[in-house]
Amino acid sequence: MRKICGILFILFSTAIISYGQSVNFFERVSIDIELLRQLNTPGSDISPALVKDELYFSSMPAASTASSRTRPQNMQFYDVYKTEISSEGNPLSGRQPVAGFGNRYHEGPVSWCRETGELFVTLSNVTDGDTLRRFIREEYIRLRLAVMHEVNGKWVIREEFPYNNEKFHFAHPAISPTGDTLIFSSDMTGGFGKSDLYMSVRSNESWSRPQNLGEVINTAGNEMFPTFGPGGMLLFSSDGHKDNRGQLDIYYTFLSDTLPPVHLGEQINSAYDDFGLTIHPSGDFGYFSSGRPGTGSDDIYFVRFNSLYEKIEGKVAANKNGLPLRDATVSLFDCGGNRLQETRTDIGGNFAFEAAIGRCYRFRVEKDGFVSESRDHEQGELTVFRLKEILSYRVLVVDAEDGKPLARTGIACNNLKWQTDNAGFALIDLSEKSDCEYRVTRNGYFDYVLEIDSAGMSAQASTVDTLRMFRKEENRVITLNNLVFYRDMWRIMPESEKVLERLVKLMKDNPGMRVEIASHTDSRLADDYNLWLSQKRSDSITDYMTDNGIEKERLVSKGYGETQLLNHCTNWVECSNAEHLVNRRTEFRILSF
C-alpha cells in the first residue's frame, strides 16, 4: 500500500444525514473476515465499492507493484473491475472489466450515488496514449475528479469537478446518499498534513468551494479511503490518529462529533495497511482492502457483521374488542428498572426493539385513555398486551360570544366533579357508568347541561366537543351574526338552525330565562315594509323555538325595522353593502332569569 500512497490520494466522505453516535454500529456486532481469493491477484486490488448489485474495485497487475528498478515505468496502472454479488455479499462471477474504463493512466476508486445514478471517480490527468508516447515520471502525475453516467451500458464522463487543479491531487470521491455532498482528498496548500479531506456541496447544479474538514479529522499524516457507514457514520483510514499501529488503520466518527475519531481496533485493523471499508445498506456484510499477507500486495477482504442484538417483538390491542392500538408508547426496561429504549406501535399495534442477546427485559405500555400495563419479556415469545379502556369524554368550554376558553369551570355529576384547566379543557371519566345530569357551571354564566351518550364511545376517539357558555347578565344583548334569511323573506335558511339550536339549549338548561327576539333591517326599503318584514322574521324565530320545546310565554317577538340603525346609513344616504349589512341583524336580549 505504501507504493501507491503518492498516487491514490485520500478522500473522506460522510452522509448529510447524521443520526449521532447514539446509534453505534460497531458496538452492536461481532466481525468475521475472509479473504476473497476468487477476486484477488498477485498485484494490488483495492477500494471495493457497491454499485447497484455489483462490487466495483480497482486493480493493478503485479508487475507495477514490483521494485521501481525492475518494473517498466508507467506501463501498468489501476483499472476498474467488477463482479456480481449475491444478497449475502458473495461473488457470483469472476472479475470483469467495467465498460468505459481501461483507457486512462489510473482509474478509481469510485463512489456511486443510487439517488442520482452518478458514478464519481478518481482519474489521472495522463491518458494511456500520453504514456505510450513518452515517459512521464510518476511524481508529475496529478489525480482529478470526474462525474460519469451510464450510456448504453458504458460509463462516460459527464462533467469534471470544477475545482480540479493540475498543481494538486483531487482524488477518491465519496458522494452522499442524496448526491449533494462530495468529500474528497487533496494536497492543496493550507491543509493540516500530507493530504487532507475536503467537502463540497452541490446546489442548483453548482459545487461550492471546497472546505477543509478541520483538525479533528485531518492530521499531519494521511486520512484516506472514506465511505459512508450506517446511521451517518463516517469511515476512513489514517496513519496519523491516536492508537495507530504504524500504518493505515480504519477509524470511524460522526460529523456532529467534536471528539477524535475512534480506532476500530484489532477486529479489523492489523499491523499492515487497512483501508477502504464499505458496508452494504443491509448492515450484514461489507468489504475492505488490506496489505496484510494474502494473495498479493493489497487484497480485498469480505466482512460479515454478526449482530449481537436480538429483535424482541410484541403487539398491543384493546381488551374490549381486540382491535390493534396504534401509537401506544412502549418502553423497554432492564430488570434493574433502567429505561433503555422507547418506541410506538404501528397501525397493526406491533412494536419491536433490538436489544442485547440473553438479558432480562421488561415492557411498559402506555396510551391515553387506557390503563398502563407492564410485563416481563419471555425469551423467544411474542408479548401481547390487551389494554383496558378508560372511557372518557373531552370537552372545551369557551365564552359563546368571544370564543375565549373558560378556565376553572366546574362540571358535576352527583358526587363526581371535574374542572377545566387554564386552556378550558376538561377530561370527564366515564368509566363508572352513571345516568346523572352533567351540569356545567361558572360564576357569571348561565348553566350548561351536558348530554353524554357513552354508547359507542372509545378512548381512541380524538374528537373534542366545544361547550359555548353565555354570560349571565340581565338586559344583555347577544347579536346572532350567523342568522340569515332568504332574501326579502322571513323564512330561516337551513344553515341558521345551528345558531338557534344553541339558543334553544340555553333556555332549556336555564328554565327561568325569559328573552326578547329582536329583528332589525337596513334602510333601503320603505319604512313600513321594513317594520313588517322584521316582525315576520322575529316571529319566524319565535315559532322555531316554540316548535323545539320553548314555552311561548318565555319569548317576546319584536321587529324594529330600521328604527335602531347602528351607523349613519339612514334613508337617502349612500352606503356600501358592508355598511348596510351592519344594520341587518337579529338580537337576543335577556329580559330576566
Side-chain angles (χ1 to χ4, degrees):
M1 178 59 206
R2 288 300 179 189
K3 299 180 179 67
I4 62 173
C5 282
I7 298 173
L8 299 178
F9 270 70
I10 3 178
L11 147 52
F12 161 51
S13 166
T14 189
I16 295 252
I17 302 172
S18 178
Y19 300 100
Q21 205 154 348
S22 60
V23 182
N24 192 328
F25 176 77
F26 289 104
E27 293 180 358
R28 303 167 67 87
V29 296
S30 64
I31 294 175
D32 294 328
I33 295 174
E34 175 187 348
L35 176 65
L36 289 180
R37 295 187 180 277
Q38 62 269 53
L39 297 184
N40 291 303
T41 67
S44 177
D45 302 288
I46 64 169
S47 299
L50 293 161
V51 180
K52 295 181 281 191
D53 295 322
E54 298 175 317
L55 179 67
Y56 280 37
F57 56 96
S58 295
S59 181
M60 179 186 287
S64 63
T65 59
S67 169
S68 60
R69 296 180 181 179
T70 59
R71 77 178 187 218
Q73 188 175 11
N74 296 327
M75 295 304 292
Q76 302 292 337
F77 43 86
Y78 279 92
D79 284 337
V80 178
Y81 293 83
K82 69 176 181 178
T83 182
E84 295 180 28
I85 58 174
S86 69
S87 58
E88 291 79 29
N90 300 311
L92 298 176
S93 62
R95 50 193 289 142
Q96 305 168 7
V98 177
F101 291 94
N103 53 2
R104 299 174 182 85
Y105 187 87
H106 283 291
E107 300 171 324
V110 303
S111 178
W112 182 61
C113 180
R114 181 180 297 273
E115 180 74 19
T116 65
E118 298 169 308
L119 191 70
F120 290 71
V121 61
T122 302
L123 302 172
S124 66
N125 59 356
V126 176
T127 66
D128 186 28
D130 294 326
T131 302
L132 295 176
R133 285 193 294 273
R134 65 182 186 275
F135 294 119
I136 300 176
R137 292 183 62 83
E138 198 169 90
E139 59 263 31
Y140 296 135
I141 297 170
R142 296 291 179 265
L143 300 177
R144 75 189 201 275
L145 299 176
V147 183
M148 309 181 81
H149 65 155
E150 201 168 21
V151 179
N152 297 325
K154 179 179 179 181
W155 291 104
V156 297
I157 296 177
R158 189 182 70 183
E159 63 175 298
E160 302 277 346
F161 183 59
Y163 297 99
N164 288 330
N165 188 319
E166 292 184 355
K167 295 180 180 180
F168 307 107
H169 291 283
F170 286 71
H172 299 187
I175 187 65
S176 67
T178 53
D180 54 12
T181 299
L182 176 69
I183 310 296
F184 64 91
S185 165
S186 178
D187 60 350
M188 68 176 79
T189 57
F192 293 93
K194 298 175 184 178
S195 56
D196 279 2
L197 301 176
Y198 291 82
M199 174 187 289
S200 180
V201 177
R202 178 165 56 182
S203 178
N204 297 323
E205 302 302 321
S206 296
W207 293 99
S208 67
R209 184 169 296 279
Q211 298 292 319
N212 190 292
L213 288 184
E215 59 185 340
V216 173
I217 290 176
N218 292 312
T219 68
N222 292 299
E223 284 68 51
M224 309 180 73
F225 302 101
T227 56
F228 296 101
M233 181 182 290
L234 168 64
L235 299 161
F236 66 98
S237 293
S238 173
D239 58 10
H241 274 285
K242 182 181 178 182
D243 299 327
N244 181 266
R245 305 181 68 183
Q247 300 192 47
L248 287 175
D249 283 351
I250 300 174
Y251 295 77
Y252 72 83
T253 188
F254 296 85
L255 285 189
S256 58
D257 279 354
T258 57
L259 300 175
V262 179
H263 188 265
L264 272 185
E266 295 183 0
Q267 56 184 344
I268 282 188
N269 291 316
S270 68
Y272 301 86
D273 284 314
D274 301 289
F275 55 98
L277 175 62
T278 185
I279 300 175
H280 189 269
S282 68
D284 294 335
F285 62 88
Y287 310 88
F288 74 103
S289 303
S290 179
R292 69 190 70 182
T295 303
S297 62
D298 298 298
D299 291 316
I300 296 175
Y301 286 78
F302 175 76
V303 185
R304 181 164 299 284
F305 299 107
N306 306 302
S307 178
L308 298 176
Y309 280 61
E310 63 176 332
K311 180 179 284 188
I312 54 178
E313 302 174 280
K315 188 179 183 68
V316 181
N319 184 62
K320 180 179 179 180
N321 51 25
L323 293 177
L325 294 180
R326 183 178 185 177
D327 287 332
T329 299
V330 186
S331 300
L332 180 68
F333 295 81
D334 63 22
C335 290
N338 301 304
R339 187 191 297 266
L340 304 176
Q341 300 180 53
E342 184 177 291
T343 188
R344 289 183 178 273
T345 54
D346 63 16
I347 193 171
N350 304 298
F351 67 88
F353 295 101
E354 282 194 352
I357 294 173
R359 297 184 184 178
C360 175
Y361 297 107
R362 187 172 180 81
F363 301 112
R364 180 170 177 80
V365 180
E366 300 170 284
K367 184 171 176 60
D368 288 345
F370 291 83
V371 179
S372 300
E373 186 176 338
S374 297
R375 188 177 304 170
D376 290 339
H377 165 62
E378 298 293 336
Q379 187 73 28
E381 293 186 6
L382 181 73
T383 305
V384 178
F385 289 86
R386 295 182 71 95
L387 300 186
K388 294 181 180 179
E389 192 171 20
I390 300 173
L391 195 59
S392 57
Y393 177 53
R394 195 173 187 218
V395 296
L396 170 63
V397 183
V398 300
D399 186 292
E401 295 172 73
D402 60 23
K404 292 182 179 179
L406 298 178
R408 299 181 300 280
T409 299
I411 304 173
C413 173
N414 293 336
N415 295 325
L416 303 174
K417 298 182 185 300
W418 300 269
Q419 190 176 71
T420 59
D421 59 20
N422 290 335
F425 288 99
L427 189 66
I428 302 173
D429 185 2
L430 302 179
S431 301
E432 298 296 331
K433 187 176 180 181
S434 176
D435 295 328
C436 67
E437 177 185 82
Y438 292 84
R439 183 166 289 271
V440 185
T441 59
R442 193 177 195 277
N443 288 337
Y445 285 81
F446 288 104
D447 289 358
Y448 188 106
V449 175
L450 183 58
E451 298 173 1
I452 301 177
D453 181 7
S454 61
M457 294 186 81
S458 170
Q460 301 176 66
S462 58
T463 303
V464 176
D465 281 345
T466 301
L467 314 184
R468 294 173 172 82
M469 298 186 70
F470 290 88
R471 295 179 193 176
K472 194 172 187 178
E473 183 180 335
E474 199 168 285
N475 290 320
R476 183 171 186 82
V477 175
I478 302 169
T479 302
L480 307 180
N481 293 315
N482 297 323
L483 190 60
V484 291
F485 301 87
Y486 287 96
R487 186 175 180 83
D488 290 337
M489 295 181 66
W490 54 89
R491 187 158 53 96
I492 300 169
M493 297 186 74
E495 54 264 38
S496 298
E497 292 185 1
K498 285 191 175 181
V499 179
L500 296 178
E501 287 172 2
R502 292 178 193 156
L503 297 180
V504 169
K505 177 167 178 53
L506 174 63
M507 296 192 72
K508 284 184 176 180
D509 293 347
N510 299 271
M513 179 185 291
R514 186 168 175 271
V515 301
E516 176 189 84
I517 306 297
S519 180
H520 303 266
T521 68
D522 59 41
S523 63
R524 286 184 290 185
L525 296 174
D527 294 0
D528 291 344
Y529 176 80
N530 284 335
L531 278 172
W532 174 81
L533 179 61
S534 63
Q535 186 62 53
K536 296 291 287 184
R537 288 179 171 177
S538 182
D539 292 342
S540 180
I541 296 171
T542 302
D543 291 342
Y544 176 90
M545 298 186 72
T546 56
D547 288 344
N548 284 274
I550 303 301
E551 298 85 351
K552 190 171 184 179
E553 57 270 20
R554 298 174 60 194
L555 302 171
V556 175
S557 176
K558 179 67 175 178
Y560 288 92
E562 56 183 279
T563 62
Q564 295 184 4
L565 300 177
L566 297 179
N567 55 25
H568 65 286
C569 298
T570 58
N571 291 336
W572 319 115
V573 175
E574 186 174 347
C575 291
S576 66
N577 285 334
E579 290 173 317
H580 283 301
L581 185 59
V582 171
N583 296 314
R584 293 201 306 273
R585 66 196 187 279
T586 299
E587 294 174 339
F588 184 85
R589 184 189 303 275
I590 300 171
L591 300 178
S592 61
F593 47 84

